[in-house]
Amino acid sequence: MALKVTVPLNVRVSGSFLGSIGDMCGISQQPIGSSRRAGDYVCFRTDPNYQAERVIVFGASIGLPQVQGVTDYTHVAIKAPAHKTVVFINRKGFHSLNVQLICDYRKQILQVLARFLGSCHNAYNLRQFQVPELFWLPTCLQGWIFGDKSYPLRTWLLTPVRNLRTDAEERYSICHGSTQVSIQQAIGLLKMSFRCKNQSSGALQYALASVSHIVVVSCALHNMSLQRGEVLNNEECEEHAASSDDEDVDEEAGQASPDEGPMHNRKDTMR
């Protein structure tokens, strides 16, 4: 039991890869990376009380009603796979998984999807989330998710207005931009706490399924630390954030369509 507690904490504090921590503690990597309780901590709760709390706090902070969460993405560097290598190369030129996240006003991760190729477009990945279904069911989520301009406009997903024409649109744009701070800081904190997901520490040297699992477990540990009252350093979070602002796909410039899969080959997807 002591190892189950101290090893994840060691990974978090040191930012080391799992192998080095395993060597230090004298255990294999598999127990370190495994967790059957991640779903208990990374969960988009639809209870009326949770919904009301998210809406009230988002509304008080940004002035927009019915906001349930905000979505963005980040790339986690991986070693070049043995097969279909090119489709894992993202727009920044390194092999990665495109990790899609949704967080709340407290920077807690509500949903994480970590199984798509680095070249996949955000809109394609978003369709694989279970979240849209939560808005379609009669008794589930009431409101919207906010995303940046790399996502398509949907009845449940609000994006920025591209060509501002009125004062109302300008006010909406300012409020919408404020929602992005939460997800950018959440991503920054994840990469600051778990350096193995920060490209500056190198690429993860594991099978793709293991990398996906490591990302999910990291999100669960991130939420656990927030629930225990860990104080955030927002400046450090912003420094390590991997926002989509600098990786946007300019559709008008002839890049991938919002509904495309991998930019190199739409048929090559991870299942």
PDB file of all heavy atoms in Angstrom, residues 82-107:
ATOM      1  N   ALA A  82       6.351   1.881 -35.033  1.00  0.00           N
ATOM      2  CA  ALA A  82       6.953   1.035 -36.058  1.00  0.00           C
ATOM      3  C   ALA A  82       6.177   1.072 -37.366  1.00  0.00           C
ATOM      4  O   ALA A  82       6.741   0.863 -38.436  1.00  0.00           O
ATOM      5  CB  ALA A  82       7.046  -0.405 -35.547  1.00  0.00           C
ATOM      6  N   HIS A  83       4.872   1.334 -37.280  1.00  0.00           N
ATOM      7  CA  HIS A  83       4.027   1.332 -38.472  1.00  0.00           C
ATOM      8  C   HIS A  83       3.295   2.672 -38.600  1.00  0.00           C
ATOM      9  O   HIS A  83       2.980   3.321 -37.605  1.00  0.00           O
ATOM     10  CB  HIS A  83       3.011   0.192 -38.409  1.00  0.00           C
ATOM     11  CG  HIS A  83       3.637  -1.171 -38.237  1.00  0.00           C
ATOM     12  ND1 HIS A  83       4.309  -1.811 -39.250  1.00  0.00           N
ATOM     13  CD2 HIS A  83       3.697  -1.984 -37.154  1.00  0.00           C
ATOM     14  CE1 HIS A  83       4.753  -2.982 -38.814  1.00  0.00           C
ATOM     15  NE2 HIS A  83       4.397  -3.110 -37.538  1.00  0.00           N
ATOM     16  N   LYS A  84       3.025   3.075 -39.846  1.00  0.00           N
ATOM     17  CA  LYS A  84       2.254   4.291 -40.134  1.00  0.00           C
ATOM     18  C   LYS A  84       2.846   5.493 -39.398  1.00  0.00           C
ATOM     19  O   LYS A  84       2.118   6.318 -38.824  1.00  0.00           O
ATOM     20  CB  LYS A  84       0.794   4.095 -39.749  1.00  0.00           C
ATOM     21  CG  LYS A  84       0.121   2.951 -40.485  1.00  0.00           C
ATOM     22  CD  LYS A  84      -1.319   2.783 -40.060  1.00  0.00           C
ATOM     23  CE  LYS A  84      -1.965   1.615 -40.795  1.00  0.00           C
ATOM     24  NZ  LYS A  84      -3.369   1.391 -40.374  1.00  0.00           N
ATOM     25  N   THR A  85       4.148   5.581 -39.420  1.00  0.00           N
ATOM     26  CA  THR A  85       4.851   6.601 -38.646  1.00  0.00           C
ATOM     27  C   THR A  85       4.411   8.010 -38.990  1.00  0.00           C
ATOM     28  O   THR A  85       4.236   8.861 -38.110  1.00  0.00           O
ATOM     29  CB  THR A  85       6.372   6.460 -38.880  1.00  0.00           C
ATOM     30  OG1 THR A  85       6.778   5.165 -38.464  1.00  0.00           O
ATOM     31  CG2 THR A  85       7.131   7.514 -38.087  1.00  0.00           C
ATOM     32  N   VAL A  86       4.209   8.280 -40.284  1.00  0.00           N
ATOM     33  CA  VAL A  86       3.982   9.650 -40.730  1.00  0.00           C
ATOM     34  C   VAL A  86       2.698  10.234 -40.169  1.00  0.00           C
ATOM     35  O   VAL A  86       2.619  11.434 -39.910  1.00  0.00           O
ATOM     36  CB  VAL A  86       3.994   9.724 -42.269  1.00  0.00           C
ATOM     37  CG1 VAL A  86       2.777   9.015 -42.867  1.00  0.00           C
ATOM     38  CG2 VAL A  86       4.043  11.170 -42.746  1.00  0.00           C
ATOM     39  N   VAL A  87       1.670   9.416 -39.935  1.00  0.00           N
ATOM     40  CA  VAL A  87       0.390   9.958 -39.473  1.00  0.00           C
ATOM     41  C   VAL A  87       0.432  10.374 -38.002  1.00  0.00           C
ATOM     42  O   VAL A  87      -0.525  10.976 -37.502  1.00  0.00           O
ATOM     43  CB  VAL A  87      -0.765   8.961 -39.704  1.00  0.00           C
ATOM     44  CG1 VAL A  87      -0.970   8.728 -41.181  1.00  0.00           C
ATOM     45  CG2 VAL A  87      -0.535   7.645 -38.970  1.00  0.00           C
ATOM     46  N   PHE A  88       1.510  10.044 -37.307  1.00  0.00           N
ATOM     47  CA  PHE A  88       1.643  10.479 -35.921  1.00  0.00           C
ATOM     48  C   PHE A  88       2.381  11.814 -35.801  1.00  0.00           C
ATOM     49  O   PHE A  88       2.531  12.334 -34.704  1.00  0.00           O
ATOM     50  CB  PHE A  88       2.381   9.413 -35.097  1.00  0.00           C
ATOM     51  CG  PHE A  88       1.551   8.203 -34.807  1.00  0.00           C
ATOM     52  CD1 PHE A  88       1.539   7.124 -35.675  1.00  0.00           C
ATOM     53  CD2 PHE A  88       0.752   8.143 -33.672  1.00  0.00           C
ATOM     54  CE1 PHE A  88       0.770   6.011 -35.425  1.00  0.00           C
ATOM     55  CE2 PHE A  88      -0.025   7.034 -33.399  1.00  0.00           C
ATOM     56  CZ  PHE A  88      -0.017   5.959 -34.288  1.00  0.00           C
ATOM     57  N   ILE A  89       2.860  12.340 -36.923  1.00  0.00           N
ATOM     58  CA  ILE A  89       3.591  13.609 -36.890  1.00  0.00           C
ATOM     59  C   ILE A  89       2.600  14.772 -36.875  1.00  0.00           C
ATOM     60  O   ILE A  89       1.745  14.884 -37.750  1.00  0.00           O
ATOM     61  CB  ILE A  89       4.524  13.735 -38.104  1.00  0.00           C
ATOM     62  CG1 ILE A  89       5.554  12.596 -38.104  1.00  0.00           C
ATOM     63  CG2 ILE A  89       5.235  15.085 -38.091  1.00  0.00           C
ATOM     64  CD1 ILE A  89       6.458  12.582 -39.317  1.00  0.00           C
ATOM     65  N   ASN A  90       2.696  15.630 -35.864  1.00  0.00           N
ATOM     66  CA  ASN A  90       1.768  16.746 -35.747  1.00  0.00           C
ATOM     67  C   ASN A  90       2.280  17.960 -36.513  1.00  0.00           C
ATOM     68  O   ASN A  90       3.309  17.920 -37.174  1.00  0.00           O
ATOM     69  CB  ASN A  90       1.516  17.094 -34.267  1.00  0.00           C
ATOM     70  CG  ASN A  90       2.799  17.489 -33.547  1.00  0.00           C
ATOM     71  OD1 ASN A  90       3.661  18.177 -34.082  1.00  0.00           O
ATOM     72  ND2 ASN A  90       2.933  17.047 -32.299  1.00  0.00           N
ATOM     73  N   ARG A  91       1.560  19.065 -36.400  1.00  0.00           N
ATOM     74  CA  ARG A  91       1.892  20.266 -37.162  1.00  0.00           C
ATOM     75  C   ARG A  91       3.188  20.920 -36.701  1.00  0.00           C
ATOM     76  O   ARG A  91       3.732  21.781 -37.382  1.00  0.00           O
ATOM     77  CB  ARG A  91       0.740  21.269 -37.072  1.00  0.00           C
ATOM     78  CG  ARG A  91      -0.507  20.799 -37.786  1.00  0.00           C
ATOM     79  CD  ARG A  91      -1.644  21.786 -37.645  1.00  0.00           C
ATOM     80  NE  ARG A  91      -1.297  23.103 -38.167  1.00  0.00           N
ATOM     81  CZ  ARG A  91      -1.304  23.414 -39.469  1.00  0.00           C
ATOM     82  NH1 ARG A  91      -1.624  22.501 -40.369  1.00  0.00           N
ATOM     83  NH2 ARG A  91      -0.999  24.641 -39.866  1.00  0.00           N
ATOM     84  N   LYS A  92       3.684  20.509 -35.527  1.00  0.00           N
ATOM     85  CA  LYS A  92       4.960  21.038 -35.046  1.00  0.00           C
ATOM     86  C   LYS A  92       6.138  20.145 -35.425  1.00  0.00           C
ATOM     87  O   LYS A  92       7.273  20.456 -35.095  1.00  0.00           O
ATOM     88  CB  LYS A  92       4.913  21.242 -33.533  1.00  0.00           C
ATOM     89  CG  LYS A  92       4.040  22.413 -33.123  1.00  0.00           C
ATOM     90  CD  LYS A  92       4.250  22.765 -31.673  1.00  0.00           C
ATOM     91  CE  LYS A  92       3.543  24.071 -31.321  1.00  0.00           C
ATOM     92  NZ  LYS A  92       3.779  24.476 -29.924  1.00  0.00           N
ATOM     93  N   GLY A  93       5.823  19.016 -36.094  1.00  0.00           N
ATOM     94  CA  GLY A  93       6.891  18.209 -36.652  1.00  0.00           C
ATOM     95  C   GLY A  93       7.410  17.082 -35.791  1.00  0.00           C
ATOM     96  O   GLY A  93       8.437  16.484 -36.117  1.00  0.00           O
ATOM     97  N   PHE A  94       6.746  16.742 -34.666  1.00  0.00           N
ATOM     98  CA  PHE A  94       7.200  15.601 -33.873  1.00  0.00           C
ATOM     99  C   PHE A  94       6.069  14.588 -33.713  1.00  0.00           C
ATOM    100  O   PHE A  94       4.892  14.909 -33.897  1.00  0.00           O
ATOM    101  CB  PHE A  94       7.743  16.039 -32.504  1.00  0.00           C
ATOM    102  CG  PHE A  94       6.749  16.731 -31.609  1.00  0.00           C
ATOM    103  CD1 PHE A  94       5.969  16.008 -30.721  1.00  0.00           C
ATOM    104  CD2 PHE A  94       6.617  18.110 -31.627  1.00  0.00           C
ATOM    105  CE1 PHE A  94       5.065  16.636 -29.869  1.00  0.00           C
ATOM    106  CE2 PHE A  94       5.718  18.761 -30.788  1.00  0.00           C
ATOM    107  CZ  PHE A  94       4.943  18.013 -29.912  1.00  0.00           C
ATOM    108  N   HIS A  95       6.417  13.357 -33.400  1.00  0.00           N
ATOM    109  CA  HIS A  95       5.433  12.293 -33.229  1.00  0.00           C
ATOM    110  C   HIS A  95       4.689  12.491 -31.908  1.00  0.00           C
ATOM    111  O   HIS A  95       5.315  12.743 -30.869  1.00  0.00           O
ATOM    112  CB  HIS A  95       6.122  10.923 -33.224  1.00  0.00           C
ATOM    113  CG  HIS A  95       6.786  10.578 -34.516  1.00  0.00           C
ATOM    114  ND1 HIS A  95       8.077  10.951 -34.804  1.00  0.00           N
ATOM    115  CD2 HIS A  95       6.329   9.902 -35.602  1.00  0.00           C
ATOM    116  CE1 HIS A  95       8.395  10.524 -36.002  1.00  0.00           C
ATOM    117  NE2 HIS A  95       7.368   9.885 -36.516  1.00  0.00           N
ATOM    118  N   SER A  96       3.387  12.345 -31.955  1.00  0.00           N
ATOM    119  CA  SER A  96       2.616  12.609 -30.740  1.00  0.00           C
ATOM    120  C   SER A  96       1.245  11.956 -30.802  1.00  0.00           C
ATOM    121  O   SER A  96       0.792  11.491 -31.850  1.00  0.00           O
ATOM    122  CB  SER A  96       2.428  14.123 -30.551  1.00  0.00           C
ATOM    123  OG  SER A  96       1.545  14.639 -31.540  1.00  0.00           O
ATOM    124  N   LEU A  97       0.607  11.928 -29.626  1.00  0.00           N
ATOM    125  CA  LEU A  97      -0.827  11.698 -29.526  1.00  0.00           C
ATOM    126  C   LEU A  97      -1.491  13.047 -29.302  1.00  0.00           C
ATOM    127  O   LEU A  97      -1.000  13.873 -28.530  1.00  0.00           O
ATOM    128  CB  LEU A  97      -1.160  10.762 -28.363  1.00  0.00           C
ATOM    129  CG  LEU A  97      -0.768   9.291 -28.497  1.00  0.00           C
ATOM    130  CD1 LEU A  97      -1.309   8.506 -27.311  1.00  0.00           C
ATOM    131  CD2 LEU A  97      -1.288   8.695 -29.800  1.00  0.00           C
ATOM    132  N   ASN A  98      -2.596  13.269 -29.983  1.00  0.00           N
ATOM    133  CA  ASN A  98      -3.378  14.483 -29.800  1.00  0.00           C
ATOM    134  C   ASN A  98      -4.365  14.211 -28.664  1.00  0.00           C
ATOM    135  O   ASN A  98      -5.286  13.409 -28.808  1.00  0.00           O
ATOM    136  CB  ASN A  98      -4.118  14.824 -31.093  1.00  0.00           C
ATOM    137  CG  ASN A  98      -4.873  16.142 -31.004  1.00  0.00           C
ATOM    138  OD1 ASN A  98      -5.347  16.534 -29.948  1.00  0.00           O
ATOM    139  ND2 ASN A  98      -5.004  16.811 -32.134  1.00  0.00           N
ATOM    140  N   VAL A  99      -4.150  14.842 -27.525  1.00  0.00           N
ATOM    141  CA  VAL A  99      -4.950  14.592 -26.322  1.00  0.00           C
ATOM    142  C   VAL A  99      -6.007  15.689 -26.182  1.00  0.00           C
ATOM    143  O   VAL A  99      -5.672  16.865 -26.055  1.00  0.00           O
ATOM    144  CB  VAL A  99      -4.064  14.548 -25.062  1.00  0.00           C
ATOM    145  CG1 VAL A  99      -4.918  14.341 -23.817  1.00  0.00           C
ATOM    146  CG2 VAL A  99      -3.024  13.442 -25.197  1.00  0.00           C
ATOM    147  N   GLN A 100      -7.262  15.294 -26.218  1.00  0.00           N
ATOM    148  CA  GLN A 100      -8.372  16.223 -26.076  1.00  0.00           C
ATOM    149  C   GLN A 100      -8.837  16.237 -24.620  1.00  0.00           C
ATOM    150  O   GLN A 100      -8.973  15.177 -23.994  1.00  0.00           O
ATOM    151  CB  GLN A 100      -9.529  15.814 -26.974  1.00  0.00           C
ATOM    152  CG  GLN A 100      -9.178  15.773 -28.449  1.00  0.00           C
ATOM    153  CD  GLN A 100      -9.035  17.153 -29.054  1.00  0.00           C
ATOM    154  OE1 GLN A 100      -9.808  18.064 -28.759  1.00  0.00           O
ATOM    155  NE2 GLN A 100      -8.035  17.315 -29.905  1.00  0.00           N
ATOM    156  N   LEU A 101      -9.087  17.432 -24.089  1.00  0.00           N
ATOM    157  CA  LEU A 101      -9.463  17.587 -22.685  1.00  0.00           C
ATOM    158  C   LEU A 101     -10.657  18.517 -22.542  1.00  0.00           C
ATOM    159  O   LEU A 101     -10.842  19.436 -23.343  1.00  0.00           O
ATOM    160  CB  LEU A 101      -8.291  18.170 -21.880  1.00  0.00           C
ATOM    161  CG  LEU A 101      -6.982  17.393 -21.871  1.00  0.00           C
ATOM    162  CD1 LEU A 101      -5.837  18.316 -21.494  1.00  0.00           C
ATOM    163  CD2 LEU A 101      -7.063  16.225 -20.905  1.00  0.00           C
ATOM    164  N   ILE A 102     -11.443  18.288 -21.519  1.00  0.00           N
ATOM    165  CA  ILE A 102     -12.477  19.228 -21.095  1.00  0.00           C
ATOM    166  C   ILE A 102     -12.282  19.455 -19.609  1.00  0.00           C
ATOM    167  O   ILE A 102     -12.082  18.495 -18.846  1.00  0.00           O
ATOM    168  CB  ILE A 102     -13.895  18.688 -21.355  1.00  0.00           C
ATOM    169  CG1 ILE A 102     -14.134  18.508 -22.857  1.00  0.00           C
ATOM    170  CG2 ILE A 102     -14.948  19.637 -20.780  1.00  0.00           C
ATOM    171  CD1 ILE A 102     -15.497  17.925 -23.196  1.00  0.00           C
ATOM    172  N   CYS A 103     -12.301  20.706 -19.180  1.00  0.00           N
ATOM    173  CA  CYS A 103     -12.131  20.998 -17.751  1.00  0.00           C
ATOM    174  C   CYS A 103     -13.226  21.942 -17.272  1.00  0.00           C
ATOM    175  O   CYS A 103     -13.959  22.546 -18.069  1.00  0.00           O
ATOM    176  CB  CYS A 103     -10.747  21.576 -17.469  1.00  0.00           C
ATOM    177  SG  CYS A 103     -10.590  23.342 -17.752  1.00  0.00           S
ATOM    178  N   ASP A 104     -13.340  22.075 -15.965  1.00  0.00           N
ATOM    179  CA  ASP A 104     -14.303  23.000 -15.382  1.00  0.00           C
ATOM    180  C   ASP A 104     -13.584  24.251 -14.894  1.00  0.00           C
ATOM    181  O   ASP A 104     -12.394  24.450 -15.151  1.00  0.00           O
ATOM    182  CB  ASP A 104     -15.109  22.332 -14.266  1.00  0.00           C
ATOM    183  CG  ASP A 104     -14.250  21.939 -13.056  1.00  0.00           C
ATOM    184  OD1 ASP A 104     -13.056  22.342 -12.996  1.00  0.00           O
ATOM    185  OD2 ASP A 104     -14.763  21.241 -12.166  1.00  0.00           O
ATOM    186  N   TYR A 105     -14.309  25.102 -14.162  1.00  0.00           N
ATOM    187  CA  TYR A 105     -13.766  26.375 -13.688  1.00  0.00           C
ATOM    188  C   TYR A 105     -12.643  26.187 -12.680  1.00  0.00           C
ATOM    189  O   TYR A 105     -11.837  27.093 -12.464  1.00  0.00           O
ATOM    190  CB  TYR A 105     -14.893  27.207 -13.071  1.00  0.00           C
ATOM    191  CG  TYR A 105     -15.576  26.505 -11.920  1.00  0.00           C
ATOM    192  CD1 TYR A 105     -15.172  26.704 -10.605  1.00  0.00           C
ATOM    193  CD2 TYR A 105     -16.620  25.623 -12.143  1.00  0.00           C
ATOM    194  CE1 TYR A 105     -15.769  26.046  -9.558  1.00  0.00           C
ATOM    195  CE2 TYR A 105     -17.239  24.958 -11.107  1.00  0.00           C
ATOM    196  CZ  TYR A 105     -16.816  25.175  -9.815  1.00  0.00           C
ATOM    197  OH  TYR A 105     -17.414  24.507  -8.785  1.00  0.00           O
ATOM    198  N   ARG A 106     -12.592  25.012 -12.038  1.00  0.00           N
ATOM    199  CA  ARG A 106     -11.540  24.742 -11.048  1.00  0.00           C
ATOM    200  C   ARG A 106     -10.301  24.101 -11.676  1.00  0.00           C
ATOM    201  O   ARG A 106      -9.390  23.714 -10.971  1.00  0.00           O
ATOM    202  CB  ARG A 106     -12.081  23.814  -9.959  1.00  0.00           C
ATOM    203  CG  ARG A 106     -13.106  24.469  -9.048  1.00  0.00           C
ATOM    204  CD  ARG A 106     -13.638  23.455  -8.062  1.00  0.00           C
ATOM    205  NE  ARG A 106     -14.565  24.071  -7.115  1.00  0.00           N
ATOM    206  CZ  ARG A 106     -15.334  23.391  -6.262  1.00  0.00           C
ATOM    207  NH1 ARG A 106     -15.274  22.066  -6.272  1.00  0.00           N
ATOM    208  NH2 ARG A 106     -16.148  24.015  -5.439  1.00  0.00           N
ATOM    209  N   LYS A 107     -10.306  23.964 -12.978  1.00  0.00           N
ATOM    210  CA  LYS A 107      -9.217  23.323 -13.733  1.00  0.00           C
ATOM    211  C   LYS A 107      -9.190  21.819 -13.517  1.00  0.00           C
ATOM    212  O   LYS A 107      -8.181  21.156 -13.786  1.00  0.00           O
ATOM    213  CB  LYS A 107      -7.863  23.948 -13.411  1.00  0.00           C
ATOM    214  CG  LYS A 107      -7.844  25.467 -13.566  1.00  0.00           C
ATOM    215  CD  LYS A 107      -6.522  26.054 -13.114  1.00  0.00           C
ATOM    216  CE  LYS A 107      -6.599  27.578 -13.104  1.00  0.00           C
ATOM    217  NZ  LYS A 107      -7.557  28.117 -12.113  1.00  0.00           N
TER     218      LYS A 107
END
